[in-house]
Amino acid sequence: MTSAEHHPAPAEHVRRGRLFVLSGPSGVGKSTVLEHIKQAVPGLWYSVSATTRKPRPGERDGVNYFFRSGTEFAEMIGRGDLLEHASFADHFYGTPTGPVGERLAAGQDVLLEIEVQGARQVRRSSLGHEAVLIFLAPPSFDELARRLVGRGTEDDETVRARLDAARIELAAEGEFDHTVVNHDVRSAVTDLVSLMVEPRPDPVS
Ligand code: ADP
Ligand code: 5GP
């Protein structure tokens, strides 16, 4: 073992990770592209959110979400455990702060997949200056509706609520640093990955 391995670099020499926030209306394809991004960007850490919604078939606690009761979610807010949180289509969603801060401090890049109100909160948070906000947009509103209905995971009322929210979310696109249109999964993933692997200037020593 070399002496460098015995004595890791002092904390001030560890370059902080970058924080990527991927947002966009429900049904645009965020989860779909995310699965490809996880494979394509080694070392990128995906933050698992907490939510009060029920798991869909195949979703697992701690993998897709931390599925929590309303009371448990309120306790997380009360303890200040969430970097951001929002109410979306009758449920609460939030990002646990601790692991995000730890990964960034250790130099790892972090990805949050969250809706627009949460993205705004991240921008205003203490981590906002290092956040890169990316908006995933549908080719059209009709195509968004087709995808959301085609996914088949929500009842009609929930689809309507999500499409109502989508109109508001689409109007927020200009607040983001980058927009990627999800025409087809392959080119959207290519565009997203190129934003995430962009070289950074050397840190000032
Ligand atoms: P989100 O996570 O943004 O709610 P999903 O990833 O669940 O969206 O995608 C919603 C539906 O649209 C899924 O059935 C998915 O297979 C489909 N989809 C995703 N991207 C595309 C695309 N580029 N073209 C056609 N269908 C897509
Ligand atoms: P879904 O119920 O389809 O998994 O997610 C609904 C919406 O909540 C999506 O737009 C998704 O990006 C968003 N979302 C997921 N996790 C979080 C989170 O931690 N915070 C916020 N603000 N939104 C989230």
Side-chain angles (χ1 to χ4, degrees):
M1 200 177 266
T2 67
S3 62
E5 282 166 315
H6 279 297
H7 303 287
E12 67 266 23
H13 291 154
V14 176
R15 178 160 43 186
R16 285 179 66 81
R18 287 170 302 178
L19 178 59
F20 296 102
V21 179
L22 179 65
S23 282
S26 179
V28 69
K30 299 185 298 297
S31 310
T32 305
V33 298
L34 187 64
E35 286 313 307
H36 294 273
I37 291 169
K38 283 179 184 169
Q39 307 298 320
V41 186
L44 182 69
W45 184 77
Y46 168 67
S47 162
V48 178
S49 298
T51 183
T52 58
R53 90 153 158 73
K54 297 278 169 277
R56 295 179 185 137
E59 284 186 331
R60 287 188 291 143
D61 188 45
V63 176
N64 305 92
Y65 281 106
F66 296 109
F67 295 100
R68 296 292 180 258
S69 68
T71 306
E72 289 167 335
F73 197 93
E75 284 168 359
M76 292 177 86
I77 297 174
R79 288 195 299 266
D81 285 352
L82 299 178
L83 174 62
E84 60 74 34
H85 65 276
S87 167
F88 180 86
D90 288 339
H91 298 290
F92 289 98
Y93 296 83
T95 303
T97 309
V100 172
E102 286 160 21
R103 301 286 170 151
L104 291 172
Q108 194 166 11
D109 290 348
V110 168
L111 175 62
L112 313 182
E113 188 256 274
I114 62 178
E115 52 70 71
V116 165
Q117 304 167 73
R120 285 192 187 116
Q121 290 173 44
V122 173
R123 178 74 100 196
R124 291 196 299 265
S125 76
S126 59
L127 303 176
H129 62 284
E130 57 197 323
V132 178
L133 269 56
I134 307 172
F135 191 83
L136 190 66
S140 67
F141 193 83
D142 286 352
E143 172 61 13
L144 176 70
R146 267 193 295 278
R147 288 182 191 175
L148 193 52
V149 172
R151 190 171 70 190
T153 50
E154 268 77 29
D155 59 30
D156 291 354
E157 195 185 328
T158 310
V159 166
R160 266 196 299 279
R162 286 178 178 236
L163 288 176
D164 284 346
R167 291 186 195 281
I168 298 166
E169 296 194 285
L170 288 168
E173 181 195 326
E175 298 173 35
F176 285 71
D177 299 311
H178 304 277
T179 294
V180 169
V181 181
N182 183 15
H183 289 285
D184 67 276
V185 173
R186 184 192 288 230
S187 59
V189 169
T190 303
D191 291 352
L192 290 164
V193 168
S194 69
L195 291 172
M196 291 174 189
V197 298
E198 215 169 67
R200 287 189 291 173
D202 283 334
V204 179
S205 53

